[in-house]
Each structure stands twice: as structure tokens, then as C-alpha cells.
């Protein structure tokens, strides 16, 4: 880039070699360093701003890559935890059911040795109560059916009985118990419903 030199007459000469190099003329010729500085400053300022923007963009890109890696790790860990929860989620329930299995085995062994039906029957009733206690702690409840008004959300009618003894839509008999888990019906009751002829 050619340096401009200012002469007293406010003329600018593009090439410094064209300026007379005599000692008398040197007194009249001044180099305009302030004009050169101001001409260079915008470029330097732009370069500084570009460098600053590049540094900021690089930092943001690094931050983005770190965040993306963390997100991918989080997704992987979540998938692994979900797989483990599905695989071993019922472990606590199974641990509480194992003593019932032990009781069944002991009851069967005892009934084979003693051949006592009443003792076997009593043992099975105890085990059944223990099982219901475990299920209730898990939030499982029996759906009441016999004598209730038929509700299609809770009951499944498999038969109809014509009778004038009971109001229309009353459940006469229950073939299979229904259960809820919390607010959700996990198995509706299979019932016979009264129908007025």
C-alpha cells in the first residue's frame, strides 16, 4: 500500500518517489501519520472484531458440542435405566412372593405325609390371605360384583338371567373376580346379569 504524503498546498501525492528530496522541500513536506493511523485503525478494528467473533463462535461451537455429548450420554443412560427397570422392576414384588411359594411347597410336602385335607385347606387359606395382603400393598383391589348394579367399566357380562326377583341390571353371579390397580381396571369381573322379562 502506498503511503500518502501531505504537502502544504493540500495536494496528495500517491508516490513518495515523486516528491523532491531536497532539504528545503523537506521542511515544507510533512508525512500525514495521523491520516495513516485513522486509515489503518478501521481495518485493525475490523480485524479485531472478526477475531473476537471467531473466538466467540469457536467457544459457542465447543459449548454446543459439549452439550450435545452430555445430551447423548443422558439419552444412553436413560435407555439403560429404562431397560434395567423393565428387567428388574418387579424384583421387590417377587421377593415378597417367594415366601408364599415356600409355604406352598411346605404345605404340599406336609399334605403328602399326613394326608390331612383340613390342614391343607387351612394352610392354603393362610397363604391366600398373605397373597392378598401383598397385592393390596401394591395397590391391587378386588372389584365388588355380586349384588351390585352392572357397570360396563368394571364388569363384563357373559350371561343374562331373566328374573323378576332382582331389579334389571343387577349382577346375579360372579364367574371370575375382577381387579383394579390404583384407578385402572386391570381385569373386569365376569358376571351374570339379571334381566326383567
Amino acid at each position: 500500500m502506498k503511503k500518502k504524503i501531505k504537502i502544504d498546498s493540500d495536494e496528495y501525492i500517491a508516490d513518495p518517489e515523486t516528491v523532491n528530496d531536497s532539504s528545503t522541500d523537506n521542511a515544507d513536506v510533512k508525512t500525514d501519520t495521523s491520516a495513516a493511523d485513522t486509515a489503518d485503525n478501521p481495518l485493525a478494528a475490523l480485524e479485531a472484531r472478526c477475531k473476537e467473533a471467531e473466538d466467540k463462535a469457536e467457544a459457542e461451537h465447543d459449548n454446543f458440542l459439549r452439550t450435545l455429548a452430555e445430551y447423548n450420554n443422558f439419552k444412553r443412560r436413560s435407555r439403560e435405566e429404562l431397560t434395567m427397570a423393565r428387567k428388574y422392576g418387579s424384583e421387590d414384588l417377587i421377593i415378597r412372593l417367594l415366601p408364599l411359594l415356600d409355604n406352598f411347597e411346605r404345605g404340599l410336602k406336609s399334605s403328602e405325609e399326613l394326608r390331612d385335607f383340613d390342614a391343607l385347606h387351612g394352610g392354603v387359606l393362610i397363604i391366600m390371605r398373605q397373597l392378598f395382603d401383598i397385592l393390596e400393598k401394591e395397590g391391587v383391589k378386588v372389584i365388588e360384583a355380586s349384588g351390585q348394579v352392572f357397570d360396563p367399566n368394571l364388569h363384563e357380562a357373559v350371561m343374562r338371567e331373566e328374573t323378576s326377583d332382582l331389579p334389571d341390571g343387577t349382577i346375579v353371579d360372579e364367574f371370575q373376580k375382577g381387579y383394579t390397580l390404583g384407578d385402572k381396571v386391570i381385569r373386569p369381573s365376569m358376571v351374570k346379569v339379571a334381566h326383567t322379562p
Side-chain angles (χ1 to χ4, degrees):
M1 185 171 148
K2 295 183 179 180
K3 193 173 183 183
K4 294 185 178 180
I5 300 173
K6 187 174 182 183
I7 303 177
D8 284 339
S9 64
D10 291 337
E11 291 180 36
Y12 286 91
I13 299 173
D15 192 355
E17 294 171 2
T18 59
V19 178
N20 191 353
D21 220 10
S22 65
S23 57
T24 56
D25 288 348
N26 279 345
D28 295 336
V29 177
K30 301 175 191 171
T31 56
D32 189 8
T33 54
S34 64
D37 286 347
T38 55
D40 287 346
N41 279 345
L43 182 60
L46 282 174
E47 286 176 350
R49 285 178 63 196
C50 279
K51 177 71 175 143
E52 186 181 325
E54 285 175 355
D55 291 345
K56 186 176 179 183
E58 189 174 331
E60 291 293 331
H61 183 67
D62 288 345
N63 189 28
F64 166 74
L65 290 178
R66 254 185 257 105
T67 305
L68 183 63
E70 287 173 10
Y71 175 69
N72 286 335
N73 287 338
F74 170 75
K75 273 180 31 179
R76 180 184 49 77
R77 279 194 311 272
S78 296
R79 269 196 312 268
E80 288 172 0
E81 287 171 5
L82 186 62
T83 302
M84 294 298 283
R86 285 181 182 157
K87 192 172 182 181
Y88 300 110
S90 57
E91 180 181 2
D92 184 49
L93 177 62
I94 290 168
I95 287 171
R96 285 186 282 148
L97 290 175
L98 289 177
L100 299 182
L101 185 61
D102 296 337
N103 290 342
F104 271 121
E105 287 177 349
R106 281 194 285 273
L108 285 173
K109 187 176 180 183
S110 174
S111 68
E112 288 170 1
E113 291 172 0
L114 301 174
R115 301 281 184 198
D116 186 356
F117 175 77
D118 291 335
L120 177 63
H121 181 261
V124 170
L125 284 177
I126 291 169
I127 293 170
M128 190 173 166
R129 274 191 229 108
Q130 290 174 335
L131 179 59
F132 273 117
D133 288 343
I134 291 170
L135 292 175
E136 279 181 2
K137 287 177 184 171
E138 291 293 317
V140 177
K141 291 183 181 169
V142 177
I143 297 172
E144 295 296 325
S146 292
Q148 303 291 317
V149 176
F150 176 77
D151 181 353
N153 297 313
L154 303 173
H155 311 117
E156 182 181 346
V158 291
M159 282 184 74
R160 205 165 72 160
E161 182 178 309
E162 290 192 0
T163 179
S164 55
D165 296 339
L166 294 168
D168 194 35
T170 303
I171 296 172
V172 177
D173 196 7
E174 180 181 45
F175 300 118
Q176 187 180 63
K177 285 187 181 297
Y179 297 93
T180 58
L181 178 60
D183 295 332
K184 182 180 178 183
V185 175
I186 54 175
R187 187 174 84 180
S189 301
M190 275 184 166
V191 295
K192 183 196 291 185
V193 182
H195 176 64
T196 305

